[in-house]
Amino acid sequence: MNKKKLITVIGGLLFLLLLGGCSKGSAADEKVTIYTNADEEPVEVIKNVLDKNGYKGKYTLQSFGTSELGGKLLAEGKDIEADLVTMSTFYLNSAQKKDKMFKKLDLSVDPLTKIPDYAAPFTVQEGTIFYNTDVMKEMKLPVPTSLKDLADPKYKDALSISDIKQSSTAWLLFQALVDNYGQDEAKTILQGIYKNAGDHLESSGSGPLKKVRLGEVAIGFGLRHQAVKDKQDGLPIDFIEPSEGTYTLTESLAVIDKGEKTNPEAEKMVNLILEKGRKDLLKIYPSALYEGETVDTEQVAKDQKVFPDELTAELLEKHQKLVD
């Protein structure tokens, strides 16, 4: 009887251990947590690609503002809850230098340029000037030809821009001014631009275009692809290529390196998004990033530029101080 009792007890303990192991599961069995700073359009592309290719119900996706998500990456490092992030590449670079928090990726597509082994370019963001054609006529305002023109007093209360302390889109404006005119003159130009914008300083990169659409202001600076779409959709929106050039930022995909707890499905999702989603993303952001991609040349900015210094969170902070 003692032996039987002992066998029963041992069997029960083994059952409980087995049950506990099953309930815990492996990293591959857990939902992939995705954090993103992307706009609505690319988020929809991500969801469509994942849902149509076997991942429906197997992930959670949470959107953040660029500054908010960048702050989480720099503060939390590998302890961040996310398994996969889409984020401005410059923030990923700074976070990797600080904590070595991203996994080396094995990509199934070939990039056109040399990239870090932990970041897969996802989209190219372009900054440009756009305007409401009806409001411009009503206010009898000339169409600006440069970013410097936006500081002209004739555009007072007719302009909307985003806040560089909350939106990386605004940084594209700052980069163009600093690169073309030097920091001192850029500060003077920015003073005039901020004076003209007044209360129309927006927290998001899409905020200025929304105000221009509604006719609250005549002119805005923001993401080029959004203005292009509005014009194609028949709205009274047009845009110009600033004489300083069209400055760009890339956003990339990255997988958090959590050692044995790294979810292997996250990297599979990265490749799936690049293989199946880039075709749709190119319709929104017409800049080729990988071999074999083609774009409509009419949609591509004619004078696309990148700031000459390495883009990092530290450089952003330096440029943010120009506002003060």
Side-chain angles (χ1 to χ4, degrees):
M1 290 296 293
N2 289 338
K3 284 185 178 182
K4 289 183 179 179
K5 286 182 180 180
L6 182 60
I7 291 171
T8 302
V9 170
I10 292 173
L13 289 172
L14 289 172
F15 175 76
L16 290 173
L17 288 170
L18 181 63
L19 184 63
C22 290
S23 63
K24 185 177 180 181
S26 65
D29 297 326
E30 297 176 0
K31 283 188 177 182
V32 175
T33 300
I34 305 171
Y35 283 178
T36 180
N37 75 322
D39 297 315
E40 292 178 8
E41 303 100 327
V43 167
E44 285 305 308
V45 171
I46 291 173
K47 290 179 179 178
N48 288 336
V49 167
L50 295 180
D51 290 350
K52 291 178 180 178
N53 290 275
Y55 282 106
K56 190 169 186 178
K58 297 181 180 180
Y59 67 92
T60 58
L61 188 149
Q62 188 171 352
S63 293
F64 296 85
T66 299
S67 295
E68 183 183 6
L69 182 51
K72 286 181 72 67
L73 289 169
L74 294 174
E76 299 176 21
K78 292 183 178 182
D79 293 330
I80 196 168
E81 184 181 354
D83 300 298
L84 168 64
V85 296
T86 84
M87 182 56 174
S88 301
T89 310
F90 69 87
Y91 263 121
L92 298 180
N93 292 341
S94 292
Q96 182 72 350
K97 285 180 181 179
K98 182 176 181 290
D99 289 317
K100 300 292 182 186
M101 62 182 291
F102 301 117
K103 181 183 182 296
K104 181 179 178 180
L105 298 174
D106 183 14
L107 298 182
S108 58
V109 291
D110 297 317
L112 294 173
T113 59
K114 186 177 179 180
I115 60 173
D117 60 11
Y118 56 84
F122 173 57
T123 60
V124 177
Q125 312 286 315
E126 300 173 317
T128 200
I129 298 170
F130 42 76
Y131 55 94
N132 186 308
T133 54
D134 292 341
V135 178
M136 292 290 281
K137 289 177 183 177
E138 290 173 11
M139 299 182 70
K140 298 180 180 179
L141 290 173
V143 175
T145 60
S146 69
L147 298 171
K148 188 176 181 179
D149 285 349
L150 300 180
D152 193 309
K154 64 172 162 278
Y155 296 117
K156 183 172 173 56
D157 298 325
L159 172 67
S160 180
I161 63 172
S162 53
D163 183 1
I164 190 173
K165 293 188 176 182
Q166 300 183 70
S167 167
S168 61
T169 302
W171 196 18
L172 294 168
L173 170 63
F174 280 60
Q175 289 176 30
L177 293 176
V178 171
D179 192 22
N180 283 271
Y181 303 107
Q183 187 164 302
D184 289 340
E185 188 176 355
K187 286 169 69 175
T188 301
I189 296 169
L190 284 166
Q191 191 173 36
I193 289 175
Y194 270 74
K195 186 175 182 180
N196 286 344
D199 294 334
H200 302 299
L201 185 65
E202 302 301 308
S203 60
S204 72
S206 59
L209 183 57
K210 290 177 181 178
K211 286 208 164 184
V212 172
R213 280 186 197 134
L214 294 172
E216 292 184 33
V217 294
I219 306 168
F221 177 88
L223 295 174
R224 183 178 183 274
H225 75 273
Q226 293 179 336
V228 170
K229 185 176 186 302
D230 276 9
K231 183 177 180 179
Q232 291 175 337
D233 289 345
L235 297 178
I237 300 294
D238 207 345
F239 59 96
I240 63 110
E241 303 280 349
S243 61
E244 294 89 352
T246 300
Y247 281 71
T248 65
L249 290 169
T250 61
E251 295 191 346
S252 295
L253 298 149
V255 174
I256 311 300
D257 185 356
K258 299 182 178 182
E260 294 181 355
K261 295 182 179 179
T262 302
N263 193 320
E265 298 303 311
E267 186 169 351
K268 293 178 184 178
M269 287 183 174
V270 168
N271 281 308
L272 185 61
I273 291 167
L274 295 179
E275 291 170 8
K276 304 287 187 180
R278 282 291 298 159
K279 183 177 180 181
D280 289 330
L281 290 170
L282 282 169
K283 296 175 184 177
I284 309 168
Y285 308 91
S287 295
L289 290 171
Y290 296 94
E291 289 185 11
E293 293 184 343
T294 57
V295 295
D296 183 351
T297 54
E298 292 183 3
Q299 300 299 330
V300 179
K302 295 178 177 61
D303 189 18
Q304 199 177 79
K305 291 184 177 181
V306 177
F307 194 71
D309 297 340
E310 181 186 9
L311 299 181
T312 63
E314 293 74 23
L315 181 62
L316 172 59
E317 185 177 357
K318 178 182 177 181
H319 285 176
Q320 286 174 334
K321 291 178 180 178
L322 296 179
V323 179
D324 299 328

